[in-house]
Amino acid sequence: MPWSLADMLGQEPVLDRLRREFAANRAAHAYMFESPPGTGKTTLARGLAAWVLCADPAPDGAACGACRPCHMLQNGNHPDYLELPRDTAELRIARFINRERAGSTETVDHPPVLPFLRMKPVEGARRLAVIPDAERMRPESANAFLKTLEEPPGDALIILTVNSRDRLPATIASRCRRIGLMPLSTDTVRDELIRRTGLPPEDAAELAVAAEGSLGVGLSLAQGEVVEFWRWLDGEAFSRPGAFEAERLADGWKRFGSGGGDNAGKRKNALAALDLSALALRRLLRRDGPPAERVAKALDVLYTAADQIVKNVKPDLVLLGAAFEIMAILKG
């Protein structure tokens, strides 16, 4: 299916702004798309890339889907487009500069970003790099990337996606034009869940409320093995804080994470468990649960635990420590 800005849901003000900027030749050299997970940042980045690289784009931002550049994008071999992988690993310096310069033995499955951006376009007028979840950048990666943001090649377009700019170095965030995406309406998420998964309307409506405007979260919740885990988190996991409940919480997280298969899969599932737990805590707050300051501290523990897992700390140890710390905070 061709990438297109027409795939975006509920973000018309953002699309109008981007169309105006590019039509008037006022586009930035670097954009930062910011919003909660699952609200369309990567879809927007890919749709904008398709529009920019398309040989015959429509004025409304739709790529034609039929030209040579569009076919190459669809096949994953466009020479002027680079997208870093979306996974749970940190963005190490070997992803940005040549291994020899970095003094690294790490191998990556794509050209380093900075040499790629300095090369002249092959097919059109621009080279375009997309860096999903850019808050994963290690400090040395951000430092190497900074000079390119300060003095970008004239034909380069760089798109970062972040869940929160506060988790991105200020030196990087300040050199990008921020585009904030809004959470989707509950009705939009509900209707998309029905269309994409075939859920009964009442189930889709329940999950749409839980998703808090994130279609990505809604689709995750709609998976059979996730639904029961979510209902346990939302209904029981945090309801009676204490040491016994901390053990149960850690065990529940570990069981959910263990279904990931290899180490990368387990890390990904552990991070998903923490994301869903943060969602459950926010809902607990709205139900007149523990005081707001306790919930805020518990959420900070979850975010710190996620950072540790991204940095390859053993998930089982991280989850066990986080569970006891959270229950102690909630108990007061």
Side-chain angles (χ1 to χ4, degrees):
M1 181 178 176
W3 293 345
S4 174
L5 291 178
D7 295 333
M8 289 299 298
L9 296 169
Q11 305 293 345
E12 201 56 41
V14 167
L15 298 181
D16 285 343
R17 173 181 169 180
L18 288 171
R19 291 178 188 124
R20 290 195 304 270
E21 289 181 2
F22 277 83
N25 291 319
R26 292 187 288 104
H29 67 273
Y31 283 93
M32 177 179 63
F33 296 163
E34 180 187 15
S35 70
T39 47
K41 297 184 294 294
T42 302
T43 300
L44 178 60
R46 290 172 175 172
L48 181 60
W51 189 44
V52 168
L53 297 174
C54 177
D56 187 27
D60 67 355
C64 74
C67 67
R68 174 182 164 89
C70 282
H71 282 303
M72 286 192 291
L73 271 179
Q74 293 165 40
N75 295 329
N77 59 3
H78 196 297
D80 298 326
Y81 179 79
L82 175 63
E83 180 180 326
L84 298 194
R86 294 193 71 190
D87 55 31
T88 60
E90 291 181 290
L91 292 174
R92 297 179 180 271
I93 196 167
R95 294 200 178 273
F96 293 88
I97 64 177
N98 292 318
R99 282 192 302 156
E100 294 76 13
R101 285 189 56 209
S104 170
T105 59
E106 182 182 6
T107 59
V108 295
D109 52 2
H110 59 78
V113 173
L114 304 187
F116 169 85
L117 289 171
R118 286 194 290 268
M119 295 172 65
K120 290 296 181 183
V122 175
E123 285 290 325
R126 286 184 180 270
R127 297 218 110 191
L128 199 150
V130 175
I131 303 176
D133 303 323
E135 54 264 66
R136 294 179 294 141
M137 275 193 274
R138 289 176 60 92
E140 60 270 23
S141 302
N143 289 337
F145 190 44
L146 182 58
K147 184 171 178 58
T148 296
L149 283 177
E150 291 174 333
E151 302 174 9
D155 48 24
L157 178 60
I158 304 164
I159 301 175
L160 313 183
T161 75
V162 296
N163 296 327
S164 171
R165 66 184 137 176
D166 294 337
R167 299 172 70 81
L168 192 68
T171 51
I172 299 293
S174 65
R175 287 163 174 81
C176 302
R177 186 173 295 172
R178 178 185 175 271
I179 300 285
L181 279 66
M182 297 295 294
L184 302 176
S185 71
T186 301
D187 288 349
T188 297
V189 175
R190 179 203 62 207
D191 293 345
E192 282 299 304
L193 288 176
I194 293 171
R195 184 177 73 83
R196 299 190 190 195
T197 70
L199 280 173
E202 58 274 17
D203 290 349
E206 176 189 353
L207 296 185
V209 171
E212 294 186 326
S214 169
L215 178 58
V217 170
L219 290 170
S220 295
L221 292 174
Q223 299 175 33
E225 69 276 12
V226 180
V227 171
E228 292 306 314
F229 178 66
W230 161 249
R231 286 176 175 158
W232 172 70
L233 284 175
D234 191 42
E236 300 178 35
F238 301 102
S239 60
R240 295 180 300 276
F244 177 72
E245 286 74 14
E247 290 185 8
R248 290 185 61 212
L249 178 61
D251 288 343
W253 282 344
K254 291 175 186 177
R255 283 195 301 273
F256 187 79
S258 66
D262 60 10
N263 287 336
K266 290 177 181 178
R267 272 204 319 271
K268 182 177 180 180
N269 277 14
L271 290 171
L274 295 178
D275 283 343
L276 291 173
S277 298
L279 177 62
L281 282 174
R282 292 194 295 270
R283 284 169 57 80
L284 183 64
L285 181 62
R286 291 196 293 273
R287 292 198 292 262
D288 295 325
E293 61 271 16
R294 291 187 195 172
V295 175
K297 289 179 180 178
L299 287 170
D300 282 342
V301 173
L302 288 177
Y303 300 145
T304 300
D307 285 341
Q308 290 176 318
I309 291 172
V310 168
K311 292 175 181 175
N312 283 328
V313 181
K314 190 175 180 181
D316 283 0
L317 294 176
V318 173
L319 296 177
L320 182 62
F324 274 90
E325 190 172 354
I326 285 171
M327 286 303 179
I329 289 170
L330 294 180
K331 189 172 184 180

